Amino acid sequence: MDHRPQAWGRPRDDVYGAYDASYLQANGPNQHTQSPIVTGTSVVAMKFKDGVVMAADNLASYGSLARFTDVKRIRTFADTSIIGFGGDVSDMQYLDRHLTELGIDEAYQSEAGHTLNARNLHKYLSNLLYNRRSKFDPLWNHLLVAGLDEESRPFLAAADLLGTTFTSPSLATGFGGMLAQPIMRRYVPDEAAVAGVSRDQAVEVIRECMKVLFYRDARSLDSYSLAIVTKDGVELRENEKLEQQSWAFADRIKGYGTQTV
Amino acid sequence: MTSIGTGYDLANSIFSPDGRNFQVEYAVKAVENGGTSIGIRCKDGVVLAVEKVITSKLLKPGANKRIATIDKHLGVVYSGMVPDGHHFVDRARDEARAWRETFKTPISTSDLSSRMGGYLQAYTLYQSVRPFGITAIIGGFDSELEAPVDGQVGSGPSIGAGGKVEGKHGGPGLYMIEPSGMYWGYYGAATGKGRQAAKAELEKLNLAEGTLDLKQAVKEAAKIIYIAQQDNKDKEFELEMSWISNADGPTKGRHMEVPKDLLEEAERLAKKAISEDDEEEEEGNEKMEE
């Protein structure tokens, strides 16, 4: 009988034949996350003359199932910047904890207060995302970062799971890129137009976008978070409801579902 | 200390026959030479203050901070050997970070004090190390609100079983850790060169009654540092102060430097109070002479 530790707990060779050790080794390459599991849909944001407005609904979907209905997807950083998360919710939690730690580390240099503005934060996050995609282990998120830049002008930029960055007076992730961007671009087609948009106007446009998204995006919800960031700080409302919905247009939609015509 | 020089003061790990660890007692001596630091726990927050002795005119005013932030809601000040203090702060930050990583929630003031107390005590046990030459004062404000877990995304089910303990929790905390690793919770704590005078002043504030508010405490703290400094007036010093309020207060539960205008006002009042005391003393002396 074999008394070596390597044989402990395994079927006896003399009774069952040689042990197939190949089962002990992982075959093939290391498998990291190749797809998100619990996901959030669009984040939309647009600049106005004094700051930025951002919104994201409070839904986390499990595939097509509306699984969690009170998930807050807009996070603040240092009371001066906001981050909207689309994509995987557990990766968002990871990033949120990471940012909490970053915020504490920043506060160690208390003399100057917080040193990271929204532009710095966006750069940091996009580098982090790029680093992770380069390890073939991406964080499955599409982020919008908003706040003020080093000259206290409104700042808005996006970073995706590959580390790709983009900036524009209005931005949207996910389905919002198709449905909300055209609406927002009517008001802020370019940087010059931003100065002509008031806070109330911007909030109104964002609310309209959220309504359109709820009408047409099957992974969306009518309860959402709305954040406004200006030089006075961040105003975050996490339990907004879509008002004055009208589904009259739904009759005219044809071509899929149970309809035959 | 009649037993000094009898060979029992050469190492940490050896007791003297009458049951003392001399290395620890010498570490306390190192603390007693350091600039005075104090902490005040009042009803709505904590104030930390330190007399930072200026060792050279070539040092930039306001630089080289002596009060350190450990976590959002925690601050530390210490008297004694500054490099030992830096190491203490580094370790405390690591503890706070590790706590968050494990429990996804901020470390409480008492838990941090317990961890750091244990850390300092370990430095009294072995030949290969010496005790810390500092006494540290830890101030913090544990949130009284229903705080979300770090990274939490939703609020969970609104009905069903829950493990929450009802009733009041959180609040201000103030602890002082000595080189032996011993720590107590305090209403008012003082250490360093001017600790005797500072403790006498702290006792006058009746902190246990919980009537003093944070703004008053800032002014009292400045005054106490100035009074404690009276015995060695020739040394120049800077006053450094930080504070932590509750979530509704001026710092929103965070550990922060006291804003410049308030610090200046507190210093002005402190100087005024001291010069008034001096005048009274002089008058008293004159009367005696008469």
Side-chain angles (χ1 to χ4, degrees):
Chain A
M1 176 138 172
D2 190 359
H3 290 284
R4 290 175 305 133
Q6 285 83 352
W8 292 352
R10 299 209 176 122
R12 283 171 59 180
D13 287 358
D14 52 346
V15 179
Y16 298 103
Y19 187 76
D20 183 3
S22 70
Y23 288 111
L24 293 175
Q25 278 140 26
N27 290 303
N30 225 350
Q31 299 265 310
H32 293 301
T33 308
Q34 298 296 317
S35 58
I37 309 297
V38 178
T39 59
T41 181
S42 325
V43 184
V44 296
M46 74 179 269
K47 290 188 196 175
F48 62 96
K49 66 176 164 42
D50 305 316
V52 187
V53 185
M54 185 186 284
D57 67 30
N58 293 341
L59 178 69
S61 309
Y62 180 76
S64 58
L65 174 72
R67 179 65 184 84
F68 304 104
T69 54
D70 63 346
V71 172
K72 314 303 185 316
R73 297 192 290 125
I74 297 180
R75 298 290 155 131
T76 61
F77 181 78
D79 299 324
T80 54
S81 304
I82 49 176
I83 304 141
F85 294 82
D88 194 88
V89 170
S90 58
D91 285 351
M92 162 180 138
Q93 285 182 303
Y94 168 83
L95 281 168
D96 190 31
R97 289 186 186 123
H98 187 80
L99 288 169
T100 304
E101 196 178 316
L102 181 70
I104 293 166
D105 287 354
E106 279 295 303
Y108 291 162
Q109 288 97 33
S110 58
E111 207 174 345
H114 267 280
T115 50
L116 295 180
N117 60 35
R119 188 194 298 285
N120 304 142
L121 184 64
H122 173 253
K123 189 66 157 182
Y124 181 94
L125 285 167
S126 62
N127 282 163
L128 179 70
L129 290 162
Y130 178 68
N131 179 266
R132 286 293 295 262
R133 83 103 221 192
S134 299
K135 289 186 196 162
F136 285 91
D137 188 15
L139 291 166
W140 220 278
N141 294 108
H142 198 156
L143 313 177
L144 296 189
V145 181
L148 300 174
D149 67 9
E150 60 285 346
E151 285 165 24
S152 296
R153 289 172 310 199
F155 175 87
L156 174 63
D160 72 3
L161 74 169
L162 303 177
T164 317
T165 61
F166 196 76
T167 182
S168 159
S170 64
L171 282 172
T173 75
F175 221 160
M178 267 72 82
L179 293 174
Q181 267 292 34
I183 301 171
M184 292 190 287
R185 279 192 188 143
R186 283 215 290 267
Y187 299 89
V188 281
D190 50 35
E191 281 295 334
V194 170
V197 179
S198 73
R199 173 193 162 121
D200 290 346
Q201 263 179 312
V203 170
E204 205 42 55
V205 173
I206 290 290
R207 285 193 197 281
E208 189 61 27
C209 288
M210 292 310 286
K211 198 189 283 187
V212 170
L213 282 167
F214 182 56
Y215 286 154
R216 332 239 36 159
D217 178 2
R219 307 284 165 269
S220 68
L221 197 68
D222 56 351
S223 135
Y224 63 101
S225 305
L226 184 88
I228 302 153
V229 55
T230 59
K231 67 172 176 0
D232 301 324
V234 178
E235 196 186 318
L236 177 60
R237 280 172 270 166
E238 292 187 317
N239 284 306
E240 298 292 290
K241 282 271 171 202
L242 285 182
E243 279 155 14
Q244 293 175 313
Q245 293 175 39
S246 164
W247 288 86
F249 71 94
D251 274 351
R252 301 192 296 275
I253 297 176
K254 297 231 160 81
Y256 59 91
T258 53
Q259 294 158 342
T260 47
V261 184
Chain B
M1 289 194 192
T2 47
S3 30
I4 288 177
T6 50
Y8 294 107
D9 58 351
L10 297 177
N12 247 331
S13 56
I14 298 174
F15 272 117
S16 83
D18 47 350
R20 293 154 66 183
N21 181 340
F22 284 112
Q23 281 301 310
V24 170
E25 291 181 23
Y26 299 160
V28 173
K29 292 276 171 202
V31 175
E32 288 172 1
N33 293 326
T36 315
S37 39
I38 63 164
I40 297 177
R41 193 190 115 157
C42 47
K43 64 176 177 187
D44 52 352
V46 178
V47 178
L48 300 175
V50 61
E51 168 210 8
K52 192 168 75 185
V53 182
I54 311 253
T55 49
S56 163
K57 286 201 189 306
L58 297 173
L59 290 168
K60 183 183 165 196
N64 306 308
K65 293 287 179 216
R66 280 281 307 279
I67 304 181
T69 301
I70 302 303
D71 199 320
K72 280 180 193 172
H73 63 300
L74 289 166
V76 161
V77 66
Y78 49 87
S79 290
M81 302 171 73
V82 176
D84 286 24
H86 280 303
H87 180 69
F88 180 93
V89 166
D90 284 350
R91 177 69 189 200
R93 285 172 178 173
D94 282 352
E95 289 289 354
R97 186 198 315 268
W99 184 280
R100 270 189 192 267
E101 195 137 323
T102 312
F103 300 111
K104 311 293 181 220
T105 184
I107 190 168
S108 69
T109 318
S110 63
D111 283 318
L112 181 74
S113 304
S114 163
R115 294 271 181 113
M116 294 312 293
Y119 187 64
L120 259 62
Q121 193 268 340
Y123 278 72
T124 68
L125 296 174
Y126 306 100
Q127 275 277 18
S128 51
V129 293
R130 62 166 176 79
F132 277 67
I134 58 159
T135 289
I137 299 173
I138 298 179
F141 203 104
D142 305 328
S143 179
E144 295 164 322
L145 306 172
E146 192 66 58
V149 172
D150 281 358
Q152 179 180 315
V153 291
S155 49
S158 54
I159 51 163
K164 282 171 191 163
V165 180
E166 294 293 331
K168 189 185 169 332
H169 63 279
L174 184 71
Y175 292 80
M176 184 159 75
I177 309 181
E178 292 170 28
S180 62
M182 189 186 76
Y183 68 95
W184 298 111
Y186 290 87
Y187 288 110
T191 181
K193 199 178 278 175
R195 68 196 173 286
Q196 297 296 1
K199 277 179 193 166
E201 291 299 318
L202 283 167
E203 279 170 23
K204 288 183 200 164
L205 296 176
N206 293 323
L207 292 163
E209 284 170 16
T211 46
L212 196 73
D213 73 27
L214 198 55
K215 284 226 167 97
Q216 290 171 314
V218 167
K219 287 167 190 167
E220 291 296 342
K223 205 165 92 187
I224 291 170
I225 291 290
Y226 270 84
I227 289 169
Q229 203 267 342
Q230 286 269 293
D231 296 334
N232 45 336
K233 276 182 189 165
D234 50 320
K235 287 257 173 64
E236 271 194 63
F237 78 102
E238 259 176 35
L239 172 65
E240 197 182 314
M241 287 205 287
S242 71
W243 60 349
I244 315 154
S245 76
N246 58 20
D248 308 323
T251 82
K252 294 177 185 151
R254 285 164 175 271
H255 174 249
M256 286 174 161
E257 277 174 42
V258 171
K260 214 171 162 207
D261 50 344
L262 183 57
L263 182 80
E264 278 166 4
E265 194 197 340
E267 278 198 280
R268 191 175 53 76
L269 290 172
K271 282 176 189 160
K272 202 175 139 201
I274 278 180
S275 60
E276 278 168 8
D277 277 359
D278 283 353
E279 275 167 31
E280 273 171 34
E281 251 174 55
E282 274 165 32
E283 276 169 30
N285 289 344
E286 276 163 26
K287 272 179 197 159
M288 288 219 308
E289 277 163 26
E290 279 165 22

